[in-house]
Structures are given as structure tokens and as C-alpha cells.
Amino acid sequence: MTRNSDQYFIDMAEHVSTRATCPRRAVGCVTINKHKHILSTGYNGTPRGLPHCVDRSCGGEQGTLEQCHAVHAEMNALLQCSDVMQIDTLYCTYSPCPTCAKLIANTSCKTVIYKEEYKDTTGITLLLNVGIDVKRIGDREAGL
């Protein structure tokens, strides 16, 4: 049985998350265009030149999000995308935080699909307020 495209891209975001270097949470992100072609991927990890959090504590694992040095998966996916105005759908293992939601809102993204809900749902509200569809795909829908 062939998996539908949402299931396929959520699975891909899960796979991308295995590259994450943050001990708090492994997050993966995939952006696609209207033809369902992959534009970029991203995972959360420290900025270029800094030691990985899994190799040396950055302080974020016990502190607040602001203490963490990791660049979010969505941010990295947007940085890797050669034309953010071609993004149609963004798939992510977690719903976007408020900062990532603001960045996504400044692209052509029409839909955000995620698997797990981030504790701060302000990002979801922001996306909905700017007219971006937001959908959670759970284990049952994804067949996982």
C-alpha cells in the first residue's frame, strides 16, 4: 500500500530529525513546493562553529529555550531553501514555536503539518491568524 504524501513527508521529517544535535529534543523539518518536490530540510543543532550540545552542554537542557544555542529545524530548513517564496507546505516533527512561526509567515507557505505539539502553542495561533492552514498528523493518520 502506498503512503499518502503527508505521511511520506512526515516520515521524512522524522528521518531528518535523527541528525539533530540537541539533547532536549530532536526535530526535523521538510519544505516542499506545490508540485510536492522537496525544497529543503533542516534539523535542530548549534550554529556553525560551536560545539554540538550532545558533545558539550550548552545549558539549554535544564534551562529555558533562550539559553539553548540550537538553531531550530524550521529556521535551518528556511536557511537551506534557495527560494522561500516557492514553499507550499512545511512538514515538521513538532509544531513551530512563535519565532519559527513568524519566519514561516514571511514565506509563501500555505500549510504547516506537524506530528507532535510543542508546549507553547502560540506559534500555531500566529500561523492560523495569518491564514496558514495548520494540521496535526497523529500516529493513527500517519500509520506509525
Side-chain angles (χ1 to χ4, degrees):
M1 176 180 208
T2 302
R3 297 168 73 82
N4 74 33
S5 60
D6 287 346
Q7 295 164 349
Y8 175 78
F9 291 117
I10 279 290
D11 286 349
M12 185 169 289
E14 283 280 330
H15 183 70
V16 169
S17 76
T18 65
R19 297 277 300 150
T21 62
C22 178
R24 288 179 56 178
R25 181 177 290 118
V27 181
C29 181
V30 176
T31 65
I32 64 167
N33 67 15
K34 65 181 179 180
H35 303 291
K36 301 202 182 298
H37 295 164
I38 296 169
L39 298 172
S40 64
T41 64
Y43 53 88
N44 56 325
T46 56
R48 188 174 286 136
L50 288 179
H52 295 303
C53 296
V54 294
D55 297 332
R56 182 172 158 238
S57 175
C58 68
E61 62 274 350
Q62 291 149 340
T64 65
L65 183 62
E66 292 77 27
Q67 291 174 304
C68 180
H69 294 141
V71 177
H72 291 192
E74 302 94 325
M75 294 176 186
N76 276 321
L78 295 176
L79 286 167
Q80 295 302 316
C81 187
S82 63
D83 185 355
V84 296
M85 297 316 287
Q86 293 297 313
I87 297 172
D88 183 75
T89 306
L90 183 141
Y91 293 87
C92 203
T93 55
Y94 281 85
S95 60
C97 75
T99 300
C100 289
K102 288 185 248 180
L103 295 172
I104 294 164
N106 278 344
T107 73
S108 63
C109 185
K110 294 176 183 63
T111 306
V112 170
I113 299 175
Y114 67 94
K115 186 174 177 191
E116 300 290 331
E117 195 163 86
Y118 184 62
K119 63 183 175 186
D120 181 353
T121 59
T122 309
I124 294 172
T125 303
L126 186 147
L127 292 169
L128 292 169
N129 285 340
V130 298
I132 295 175
D133 290 331
V134 180
K135 180 172 112 176
R136 181 176 186 175
I137 185 167
D139 290 346
R140 184 173 299 144
E141 295 91 33
L144 302 172

